[in-house]
Amino acid sequence: MKNIPFALKLFIGLILSIAAFVLALSLGAADISLRDVWNALFSSHTNDDILVIRENRLPREIGAFFVGAALAVAGAIMQGLTRNPLADPGLLGLTAGANAALAAAMAFIPDANYIVIIIACFIGAAIGAGLVFGIGSLRLGGLSPVKVVLAGAAVSALLYAVSEAIGLSFKLSKQVSAWTAGGLVGVNWTQLQLIIPIILAGILLSLFLSHQLTLLSLSDEVAVGLGQKTFAIKALLFLVTILLAGASVALVGNMTFIGLMIPHIVRFFAGTDYRYILPLSFFAGGTFMLLADTAARTVNAPYETPLVAIVAALGLPFFLFIVHRGGRAYS
């Protein structure tokens, strides 16, 4: 697999993403023909099925793709930056922090618009990550993968409790739960217009820093020896993960394990160079999220299975598999 040219891998990733996108538009509680999918995308014709695609499924699946891509790239960055194979925005407190901040914004700023919600998620993600790495560094021996994950579990539990407490205290439990439960119901074009540029900016910045990330993933000494300003690069990469994780929570709520699974699977095809891992993670994460959302809408149609449950059902065994292999999945 590693001998296949990178351009061909990228092309295959693009084709699989398009196929998953068309499949997601077509399948659901009401199956829609491929002709209507085509007409919805490329013509001005309209009927009931085409309206369903344009008003409901199209914004939902575009959101699914970009959230999956954002979480996968954020997970890859965190794994390279911390040299921790168990790193994931959901496991290391970023999404829990964003959830808590989102609940606080809804409680203390009742008239908050969506931009305020997004900013709150960024701040919360930064606080969550800061708490995890701060607590994980307290004891002698520095940050180890297991210590960081344990700190992430503890901080995430605390921050989810804070979210619940705010919801109960301000009688907002239903609204907070509906937003942070992890799903794509209700994603609309206005949200996408604000979130997608942020995700794309984060992705582009990560690609610009991908070579530096590869050096950091080896060791700080190697990066410094090659003239890298490690503090500035780490700060920029940390900012990228905050942008990607915060934007994802602002759109779909809590979503764990995507950032853990996808980079490990991509390494099987791409090796250990982050110039290849990050763009392939973009397509793989987006494709995975599209397929997961399609499964959530079809396995118990016309009822919808929680998307977060679908992802967790796949992610938890993968997490245990990586732990069993001592952090080596497919790398």
Side-chain angles (χ1 to χ4, degrees):
M1 291 289 184
K2 295 178 182 177
N3 295 325
I4 299 175
F6 172 67
L8 179 58
K9 295 174 186 173
L10 205 60
F11 178 72
I12 293 172
L14 174 63
I15 295 300
L16 291 177
S17 296
I18 293 173
F21 188 70
V22 173
L23 192 70
L25 291 179
S26 177
L27 297 181
D31 288 346
I32 295 175
S33 69
L34 292 178
R35 177 188 290 273
D36 281 338
V37 172
W38 176 270
N39 287 331
L41 295 176
F42 301 109
S43 80
S44 59
H45 295 164
T46 186
N47 59 36
D48 290 344
D49 287 345
I50 290 175
L51 284 176
V52 168
I53 293 175
R54 288 176 178 160
E55 300 300 325
N56 296 327
R57 292 189 186 176
L58 195 54
R60 175 177 181 143
E61 301 314 327
I62 291 174
F65 178 83
F66 278 97
V67 166
L71 291 174
V73 171
I77 293 172
M78 294 184 74
Q79 290 172 14
L81 190 61
T82 64
R83 294 185 284 280
N84 183 346
L86 302 178
D88 172 273
L91 294 174
L92 300 191
L94 275 78
T95 56
N99 276 340
L102 187 150
M106 294 174 72
F108 296 110
I109 314 175
D111 298 326
N113 58 28
Y114 194 56
I115 294 176
V116 174
I117 295 294
I118 295 172
I119 294 172
C121 288
F122 292 155
I123 295 172
I127 292 173
L131 285 173
V132 169
F133 287 102
I135 293 172
S137 304
L138 286 178
R139 300 294 297 271
L140 294 175
L143 289 168
S144 70
V146 174
K147 286 174 61 177
V148 171
V149 171
L150 290 175
V155 169
S156 295
L158 171 66
L159 293 173
Y160 285 130
V162 170
S163 301
E164 293 294 328
I166 292 174
L168 290 171
S169 299
F170 289 84
K171 303 185 187 307
L172 293 170
S173 295
K174 189 174 181 180
Q175 293 94 319
V176 172
S177 297
W179 200 311
T180 62
L184 289 151
V185 176
V187 170
N188 58 54
W189 291 110
T190 302
Q191 292 173 324
L192 294 180
Q193 288 171 356
L194 293 170
I195 291 295
I196 289 179
I198 296 171
I199 291 177
L200 287 177
I203 298 290
L204 291 175
L205 183 55
S206 71
L207 295 178
F208 179 72
L209 297 170
S210 58
H211 178 60
Q212 287 85 347
L213 179 59
T214 302
L215 299 180
L216 280 172
S217 71
L218 299 175
S219 73
D220 281 10
E221 290 75 17
V222 171
V224 171
L226 293 172
Q228 186 180 113
K229 296 179 180 177
T230 55
F231 180 81
I233 297 299
K234 286 181 178 180
L236 284 173
L237 288 169
F238 184 72
L239 174 64
V240 171
T241 60
I242 297 300
L243 288 176
L244 296 177
S248 299
V249 171
L251 193 63
V252 305
N254 182 42
M255 197 65 64
T256 306
F257 293 123
I258 295 176
L260 173 73
M261 289 188 289
I262 299 302
H264 280 285
I265 295 172
V266 166
R267 286 190 188 92
F268 178 71
F269 303 96
T272 57
D273 192 331
Y274 280 84
R275 290 175 299 175
Y276 306 141
I277 292 173
L278 294 185
L280 291 175
S281 293
F282 175 82
F283 287 112
T287 302
F288 173 85
M289 193 69 165
L290 286 169
L291 296 176
D293 185 55
T294 303
R297 289 185 290 108
T298 55
V299 294
N300 191 33
Y303 304 104
E304 188 162 319
T305 304
L307 176 60
V308 67
I310 298 282
V311 176
L314 298 171
L316 182 58
F318 195 91
F319 173 81
L320 298 175
F321 171 65
I322 296 174
V323 172
H324 176 70
R325 296 197 58 178
R328 294 175 294 104
Y330 296 111
S331 57

